[in-house]
Amino acid sequence: MSTVSSSTSTQHVTATATPTASAGIDPRGPRFGAAITTVVLSAALLLASPVLLALQAAVFAVGVIAGPSRQPYGVLFKRVVRPRLAAPDYLEDPAAPRFAQACGLAFSLVGLLGFALGASWLALGAIALALAAAFLNAAFDFCLGCEIYLRAQRLRRS
């Protein structure tokens, strides 16, 4: 039996048995994905590369459609990194990380639109904002998209 508790940064599903996809996701997975995203978006920003941004947008899109644990970085975490780690202390509700993926996708699409329109300021600004959010998650375990999602949920309940 799982219980749901909330914290300031994420919703947690307390792990009482072996972690399963239906009960929640390992919270280290999205952070691992954010680290890779930070590298990809840094390269996209430094190189002003619409190709790298489009690849990252595709990763975000898979995360939105299939869920964070099924997008490429989540699969890499699950198959390569996760087996080498101890069990997580808790499992996380995937809804907030999925929303964060949608935010990343939105900024990536704005960046691609900027490149398509020749507005490099728009493209680079959108990449920089997405990069800042990914870096916050990777470096400080602060998921900005998750925070927005949780605050919106609290407002809906009020």
Side-chain angles (χ1 to χ4, degrees):
M1 179 179 206
S2 297
T3 59
V4 178
S5 64
S6 63
S7 72
T8 57
S9 64
T10 56
Q11 272 189 328
H12 300 158
V13 177
T14 305
T16 56
T18 304
T20 63
S22 62
I25 60 172
D26 187 328
R28 299 168 293 187
R31 190 170 185 191
F32 173 80
I36 297 172
T37 298
T38 298
V39 172
V40 173
L41 290 177
S42 293
L45 184 63
L46 291 172
L47 301 172
S49 172
V51 173
L52 286 174
L53 184 58
L55 290 172
Q56 183 59 51
V59 170
F60 284 139
V62 173
V64 171
I65 295 165
S69 64
R70 291 192 182 104
Q71 58 106 302
Y73 308 153
V75 171
L76 180 64
F77 175 80
K78 196 171 6 179
R79 292 189 181 157
V80 178
V81 178
R82 173 68 187 90
R84 292 167 171 71
L85 301 175
D89 293 334
Y90 61 90
L91 297 178
E92 184 175 47
D93 181 350
R98 181 176 264 178
F99 179 81
Q101 293 282 301
C103 293
L105 176 60
F107 278 97
S108 296
L109 293 176
V110 168
L112 289 171
L113 180 65
F115 280 129
L117 296 175
S120 60
W121 62 269
L122 179 61
L124 298 177
I127 294 170
L129 290 171
L131 171 59
F135 178 77
L136 283 172
N137 193 354
F140 303 108
D141 198 18
F142 181 80
C143 177
L144 188 57
C146 299
E147 279 297 318
I148 293 168
Y149 175 83
L150 293 173
R151 290 179 194 275
Q153 293 300 309
R154 287 185 197 124
L155 283 175
R156 281 185 36 194
R157 288 186 214 131
S158 312

